[in-house]
Amino acid sequence: CSPMTRIQPFPAPCAEKARAALPRPAGTAVFMLTHEARSALCGRFGLEDSQLDRALGLLGAARVEDPDVPHGPIEADAAELLARLAEDRLPWFIHACPRWRRDVLRRYPQLSDFFSPARPAPCPARVAVVGCAARKAALAREGWTEALTVREAALRLIRGGVRPVRGMPCAPGGPGWLERVFLRADRLAGGDCKPLPSFVPERRFAGVETARFSLLGRDVRVARVRGAAQMERLLGSFGPHALPWQVIEVLVCAGGCD
């Protein structure tokens, strides 16, 4: 059996310490892993998806979910997208980095309606594994039982006896958060799951890629902006209410906010 398909034995004393790290007993929590977090952990430990799910049982996971599950975060964003289009409450900064949102609202408080409101955790025993400390802090404020960064989850798995694999590439990711929100919104609206458009570089602005999505019988102009500094330059150039796009994803971190 190759390292890609083997979970190393869990020493019982270490496993007990890993279980005790959560405020709830092992096997009672629902874990939610973003695509990027799952890819990073599978790559770090050389595990397949189902093996990672079993390994997370050491940290108290009774079930491991994806953000795409019904009534999950992707569906919540998709429902908000449909509502904003119907009510013309645009532009919308989709899935914005909590730290960047805080900073930009200090300078542009009039933009508050362009961001999603905080959403309560869906049930008491929920644990999220996400890519960055800012997203972790935001989920903690929303009432999740616990939120872990990928690094923190990896360290707990190591303490539980799961051995990391050096040089193992991460599994290739699928569509990003923004694309998955549009796919789910199209399904919620009774659409026929049109192919996703490709993002192309915007010649007028460095670090900006744009695409046109079709939803509710209308074209939706979408921009993906790389870097908070570039987004703030665009806000300064256009003004908060004159941006040429209706949905904007700001990638503050190199891999985006997940």
Side-chain angles (χ1 to χ4, degrees):
C1 196
S2 70
M4 278 292 291
T5 57
R6 182 170 67 246
I7 296 179
Q8 303 291 350
F10 307 129
C14 295
E16 289 304 319
K17 290 180 182 177
R19 291 189 183 102
L22 279 177
R24 292 177 176 272
T28 63
V30 178
F31 273 53
M32 194 274 296
L33 268 67
T34 63
H35 280 197
E36 284 74 8
R38 177 177 288 279
S39 175
L41 289 172
C42 284
R44 174 70 186 245
F45 295 100
L47 302 176
E48 297 173 356
D49 284 339
S50 60
Q51 294 172 324
L52 176 64
D53 292 352
R54 294 202 305 275
L56 288 170
L58 284 171
L59 307 188
R63 187 172 75 254
V64 182
E65 293 182 347
D66 184 88
D68 283 326
V69 296
H71 311 296
I74 294 286
E75 186 164 296
D77 274 359
E80 182 173 355
L81 172 61
L82 293 172
R84 284 178 174 272
L85 286 172
E87 299 164 10
D88 203 27
R89 292 189 293 117
L90 301 166
W92 178 36
F93 291 105
I94 184 173
H95 197 60
C97 167
R99 186 173 297 156
W100 175 74
R101 168 185 170 148
R102 179 198 63 201
D103 292 343
V104 80
L105 287 180
R106 286 175 180 169
R107 298 178 56 190
Y108 300 99
Q110 66 271 37
L111 293 182
S112 59
D113 192 47
F114 296 169
F115 293 89
S116 300
R119 299 181 182 128
C123 72
R126 302 278 288 193
V127 178
V129 182
V130 294
C132 73
R135 183 65 62 186
K136 168 188 169 177
L139 291 175
R141 289 192 297 271
E142 291 173 8
W144 288 68
T145 305
E146 189 168 15
L148 304 171
T149 64
V150 170
R151 181 177 182 276
E152 290 167 340
L155 288 174
R156 290 191 184 185
L157 287 172
I158 291 170
R159 289 200 300 268
V162 186
R163 299 178 187 172
V165 178
R166 293 185 180 275
M168 186 65 65
C170 293
W177 189 281
L178 183 150
E179 288 92 335
R180 284 178 277 156
V181 168
F182 270 91
L183 286 171
R184 180 59 62 89
D186 192 50
R187 289 199 291 270
L188 291 177
D192 52 3
C193 296
K194 305 174 185 64
L196 289 170
S198 298
F199 279 83
V200 296
E202 175 60 60
R203 294 181 180 179
R204 297 175 295 167
F205 312 108
V208 179
E209 299 173 338
T210 60
R212 285 181 178 266
F213 287 76
S214 180
L215 190 61
L216 295 178
R218 59 188 285 189
D219 283 341
V220 182
R221 300 184 305 278
V222 176
R224 177 171 282 149
V225 181
R226 299 188 181 276
Q230 175 63 0
M231 187 66 242
E232 290 184 22
R233 281 193 289 270
L234 293 170
L235 285 170
S237 298
F238 287 100
H241 297 277
L243 292 166
W245 310 289
Q246 296 162 297
V247 177
I248 303 166
E249 181 181 39
V250 182
L251 304 184
V252 176
C253 299
C257 195
D258 185 49

